[in-house]
Amino acid sequence: FSYEEAQDVLDGKDLEWPDVEGDHTKEQITKDLMDLLDVCGKIRHLRFDGGALKLDQVKLNFRKLDSDGTLDGYAVEEHSPSHWVIEELMLMANKVVATHMAQSDLGKIAVLRNHQAPDEKKWETMLGLLSRMEGMESFDGTDAGTVQRSLQRVREAHGEHVATAVELLVKTGGLTQAKYYAYGDEE
């Protein structure tokens, strides 16, 4: 399934199913997708309750009009539940692999990624700018969890476009690039 087709199944919409092979049925596949949505939704909720921060990247999909490449239009890719089910499964797989590597002989050569705290001066400047914007006075940048909750409040109060602009400001206003290091390095 594409993300859109999987979302149509989750939404209970009719779609043209590909051939189902083996002993599987459309009903079983639908139930499996619904179970994945339920489990991944609970994991996602716990992750955000634990202080996780989600910053989306806006992705534009362009449509070509004809063979010479003339564009017909574009659409912003939506991040539906079918997207975040895959996201949660990928995060879980990454954790399992990292844990295995750290506990094995591969731990000596494992390369990991770490997100450091924001640049303090740039972060304070960005928070000051936000505090002067109408409706952003209560934006809390104390930690990843409070930023996530503040972004959610912005989204609910001002809509997706304003929230996307504030997310971009947060991303460029002091967040540092991830650093890669070998497991066990003291640096």
Side-chain angles (χ1 to χ4, degrees), residues 9 11 24 29 33 55 83 95 97 112 125-126 152 160 167 180-181 185:
V9 172
D11 291 341
H24 306 288
I29 294 170
L33 285 173
L55 297 173
H83 285 86
K95 286 180 184 179
V97 169
L112 304 176
T125 300
M126 185 274 304
Q152 188 58 37
E160 196 61 39
E167 264 188 34
Y180 293 84
Y181 63 96
D185 270 357

Side-chain angles (χ1 to χ4, degrees), residues 8-182:
D8 285 347
V9 172
L10 293 171
D11 291 341
K13 294 181 181 175
D14 287 329
L15 73 137
E16 193 172 314
W17 280 72
D19 291 335
V20 178
E21 297 182 20
D23 294 333
H24 306 288
T25 66
K26 295 174 188 174
E27 292 76 18
Q28 288 171 322
I29 294 170
T30 299
K31 182 185 178 318
D32 289 345
L33 285 173
M34 297 303 282
D35 289 346
L36 279 172
L37 177 66
D38 181 53
V39 170
C40 290
K42 290 174 181 170
I43 292 168
R44 183 179 179 85
H45 185 73
L46 289 171
R47 201 166 54 81
F48 285 120
D49 282 353
L53 175 60
K54 173 140 178 63
L55 297 173
D56 289 321
Q57 278 190 279
V58 175
K59 181 179 177 185
L60 292 178
N61 293 321
F62 295 95
R63 293 185 303 266
K64 289 184 181 178
L65 181 59
D66 53 31
S67 61
D68 73 352
T70 303
L71 292 179
D72 178 33
Y74 68 93
V76 175
E77 182 178 87
E78 292 188 32
H79 287 275
S80 64
S82 65
H83 285 86
W84 57 254
V85 164
I86 299 302
E87 180 181 302
E88 292 303 322
L89 293 171
M90 288 171 48
L91 286 169
M92 285 187 280
N94 288 344
K95 286 180 184 179
V96 168
V97 169
T99 300
H100 172 74
M101 289 183 75
Q103 295 171 350
S104 72
D105 289 338
L106 294 173
K108 297 174 188 137
I109 60 168
V111 176
L112 304 176
R113 184 172 74 174
N114 185 24
H115 292 274
Q116 298 291 324
D119 177 284
E120 196 170 324
K121 183 178 178 186
K122 290 178 182 177
W123 191 249
E124 289 300 323
T125 300
M126 185 274 304
L127 290 174
L129 176 63
L130 270 176
S131 71
R132 293 189 300 275
M133 296 174 142
E134 186 176 334
M136 304 296 156
E137 301 86 355
S138 64
F139 194 94
D140 186 351
T142 307
D143 58 40
T146 60
V147 170
Q148 182 64 36
R149 289 186 290 279
S150 292
L151 287 169
Q152 188 58 37
R153 284 194 304 273
V154 168
R155 186 168 277 103
E156 290 166 1
H158 304 286
E160 196 61 39
H161 293 309
V162 172
T164 299
V166 173
E167 264 188 34
L168 182 59
L169 184 60
V170 167
K171 283 189 230 179
T172 58
L175 292 183
T176 56
Q177 290 291 318
K179 293 193 178 188
Y180 293 84
Y181 63 96

